[in-house]
Amino acid sequence: MSGSGMLYGGDEIGALVFDPGHHSLRVGYAQDDTPKADIPSVVGVGPADPVMNSDLETKADNNIGSTNKYYVDTTHINVARPSMEIQSYMKDGMIENWDLFEKVIDYVYAKVVQSESMYHPVLFSESAWNVRNNRERLTELMLEKYNVPAFFLVKNAVLAAFANGRATALVVDSGATHTSAVPVHEGYVLSQAVVKSPLGGDYLSLQCRHYLESQNIDLTPTYAIASKDVIKERDTARFTPKELPEKLTASWQQYMLKGLLQDFQMSVVQVLETPYDERTAAQIPAVHYEFPNGYHQDFGPERFKLAESLFDHNMLGAGQLASASVGMCDADVRLSLYGSVVVTGGNSLLPGFAERLNRDLQHRAPSNTRLKMISANGSVERRFGAWIGGSILGSIGTFQQMWISSQEYEESGKSQVERKCP
C-alpha cells in the first residue's frame, strides 16, 4: 500500500470485475448485482477498408504491415461482412490469443466503462487449472499496458461459491466448452481433485445440429432471410433469401449457425429427472418451436434424449464428475462438500439440469451423507455466478488490503501473483 494509506475500495473508486469464459466475457463494476456488459468471446478479423474507418470498430494497428480490422461485440460481429473471420481468444478455459484479447479489453475501456484504465482496480477470474505463465502474463498486461492501480486474480469456482454464500462447496460449473467439478475448501481450490469433461453447451449444440439435420430441417439463420410466409405446422418453409455480400467466411457462418442452435437448445431441450426412458418422456407435453425460416413443429421425447448425453456418459456425465471429484478429496471434507453443491454456468440453465444432478449424486454419495444442492433460481445468478462472486469480493472492506498494488508490482514484478493470489 502507498504511504498515504490509500484504499482501493470504497464508493469513490469503482473496482472492475472481469470474468472471461468461452461463451462471453462478463465485465462490470464491483458492488453491482449484474455485469454491465456480456461480450462474446470472439473477435471478427477482416481486411481493413481504407474508406470506411468509423470510430466504432477498433481501428487497424498503427504498424505499417498490419492491414486487419477487428470487430468486437455482438452488434459488430453479427453483421455479414466479406472475408471476416471469427476467432476466439480462449482455449481450454484460458486466454490463448493475447492480441485479440487486448482488442476486447481496449473495447471495454473505450465503450463499456468509458473511462481510463488507470482509475480502476481490476479483479479477474480464472479457471482452476490456469497455468503460472498465463497468470503472470495477465498481471503484466494489466499493470504495465493498462496501468491499473491494483490487480487481483481469483479462481472462478471460488467466486461462484462466494456468490452463493459459501466458502466451502463443490462447484459444478457447466459452460460452453466443458463441465467441471471443483472442490473449494475455506475459499481455496483443492486443485488435486479438479475434474473436467469436454461435454458442455457447444457439445449439446452439436448434438442438436446432427439431430435437426437428420430430420431434414432447414437451418437457415435469420441473417439470410429477407421475408417468410406463415405456414401450417410441418409444412415446407416458404421464405425469400436475402441478398448477401460475397466471400462470407465459413467461420462466420458457423458462428451464426451456433447462435440459432443455442436458441433452439434453450427453448426446447430439457433434462429428465431420471435416466432417459421413452415412455416417461412421451408423457411430458411437447414443446413447439419455430425456426427463423418460418418452419415450425412440436418436439416430443427427442428433446430429452438430446440432453441425456450430458449425464448418461459413463465417464464424463455431470454426476460422475462431481462424485469423482469429492472422492479425490480428504475424507474429512467430503461431508461438507456434499453438503453444498453449487451449480453454476450458462449450460446449467437447461431445465431440469440441477434436479438430475441431484438425483445422480444421491445415487453415488455414501448413504450417510446429507446432500444439498445450491442452484440459484434466477438465470442471471447462474449464468454470471463467478462474476457476481467477484463483485461481492471486490467490494468487501477486508479484501482491500489483498490487492497487488502497482507499487508492489514495481518493487517485485509479476511473480507477486503467485504469492498473493492463491
Side-chain angles (χ1 to χ4, degrees):
M1 285 288 163
S2 53
S4 61
M6 165 184 155
L7 274 177
Y8 295 107
D11 303 331
E12 304 80 47
I13 310 172
L16 286 173
V17 179
F18 288 79
D19 175 29
H22 273 272
H23 179 261
S24 60
L25 164 73
R26 283 71 66 174
V27 190
Y29 287 104
Q31 300 181 345
D32 284 2
D33 28 12
T34 51
K36 198 170 166 69
D38 183 31
I39 302 167
S41 296
V42 292
V43 175
V45 183
D49 184 357
V51 193
M52 301 268 298
N53 229 344
S54 70
D55 274 352
L56 274 173
E57 294 96 9
T58 326
K59 297 242 175 66
D61 286 346
N62 301 336
N63 315 347
I64 314 300
S66 155
T67 52
N68 284 344
K69 191 165 177 193
Y70 298 89
Y71 301 92
V72 179
D73 212 352
T74 318
T75 44
H76 302 309
I77 293 174
N78 288 8
V79 178
R81 306 173 196 270
S83 314
M84 177 174 78
E85 294 282 357
I86 293 289
Q87 297 177 8
S88 172
Y89 52 79
M90 297 290 285
K91 185 180 178 197
D92 193 28
M94 298 181 279
I95 299 162
E96 188 194 36
N97 187 328
W98 291 87
D99 296 339
L100 288 184
F101 182 64
E102 284 179 42
K103 297 279 181 279
V104 179
I105 299 290
D106 292 341
Y107 172 88
V108 166
Y109 281 117
K111 300 285 171 221
V112 179
V113 184
Q114 297 181 349
S115 167
E116 297 283 325
S117 54
M118 54 190 258
Y119 298 126
H120 305 277
V122 167
L123 175 75
F124 251 91
S125 80
E126 56 169 353
S127 63
W129 49 89
N130 203 3
V131 292
R132 174 168 184 164
N133 197 1
N134 264 4
R135 308 183 72 192
E136 292 187 347
R137 184 155 181 187
L138 183 59
T139 312
E140 192 173 9
L141 176 74
M142 295 315 290
L143 283 155
E144 291 199 5
K145 182 179 172 188
Y146 293 101
N147 292 319
V148 298
F151 175 78
F152 203 72
L153 253 182
V154 198
K155 304 269 184 271
N156 52 21
V158 173
L159 296 177
F162 284 168
N164 288 284
R166 297 288 190 279
T168 298
L170 175 67
V171 179
V172 179
D173 181 349
S174 186
T177 49
H178 52 266
T179 298
S180 60
V182 181
V184 176
H185 186 250
E186 303 295 343
Y188 291 93
V189 167
L190 305 175
S191 49
Q192 82 286 355
V194 172
V195 191
K196 65 182 201 287
S197 90
L199 306 184
D202 291 355
Y203 171 75
L204 193 54
S205 299
L206 195 64
Q207 302 283 90
C208 292
R209 184 178 171 183
H210 288 325
Y211 167 72
L212 294 170
E213 283 173 350
S214 73
Q215 299 292 312
N216 294 322
I217 293 174
D218 173 30
L219 298 175
T220 309
T222 321
Y223 70 85
I225 295 168
S227 64
K228 59 184 179 186
D229 296 346
V230 177
I231 52 168
K232 288 200 180 75
E233 187 173 338
R234 288 183 185 269
D235 278 4
T236 316
R238 293 193 301 273
F239 65 95
T240 320
K242 205 183 220 170
E243 297 241 332
L244 290 169
E246 289 178 1
K247 292 203 283 198
L248 290 180
T249 62
S251 64
W252 184 78
Q253 291 172 322
Q254 287 298 328
Y255 176 76
M256 297 304 282
L257 174 61
K258 197 162 135 188
L260 186 163
L261 293 166
Q262 282 166 352
D263 183 70
F264 172 77
Q265 198 169 309
M266 279 305 166
S267 314
V268 176
V269 178
Q270 194 170 341
V271 186
L272 264 184
E273 200 165 327
T274 53
Y276 180 77
D277 166 52
E278 193 85 43
R279 287 222 313 278
T280 324
Q283 290 164 1
I284 299 172
V287 164
H288 196 79
Y289 185 78
E290 180 177 330
F291 291 88
N293 62 9
Y295 175 82
H296 58 104
Q297 70 163 78
D298 279 347
F299 289 93
E302 57 274 12
R303 64 197 190 92
F304 295 101
K305 199 163 185 178
L306 287 166
E308 197 60 22
S309 51
L310 296 173
F311 287 91
D312 70 352
H313 200 290
N314 47 5
M315 288 288 286
L316 304 171
Q320 281 87 336
L321 291 181
S323 55
S325 170
V326 177
M328 288 155 75
C329 296
D330 278 351
D332 47 354
V333 294
R334 286 180 198 163
L335 283 174
S336 56
L337 290 175
Y338 273 130
S340 55
V341 179
V342 168
V343 180
T344 184
N347 193 45
S348 72
L349 292 171
L350 278 176
F353 186 96
E355 292 78 0
R356 175 65 182 274
L357 180 61
N358 188 21
R359 182 204 160 274
D360 283 7
L361 273 180
Q362 243 148 9
H363 281 257
R364 294 171 175 280
S367 51
N368 60 348
T369 41
R370 218 182 106 261
L371 186 63
K372 181 158 194 262
M373 298 286 287
I374 302 160
S375 55
N377 292 334
S379 58
V380 175
E381 286 90 340
R382 230 185 289 175
R383 261 184 72 197
F384 304 139
W387 187 91
I388 292 170
S391 170
I392 294 169
L393 187 63
S395 54
I396 292 178
T398 48
F399 173 69
Q400 304 312 326
Q401 67 245 32
M402 296 177 63
W403 293 103
I404 299 174
S405 66
S406 47
Q407 189 184 355
E408 282 175 301
Y409 176 76
E410 277 159 26
E411 285 163 10
S412 42
K414 60 188 177 186
S415 57
Q416 280 287 71
V417 70
E418 287 297 307
R419 194 175 66 77
K420 289 196 82 166
C421 309

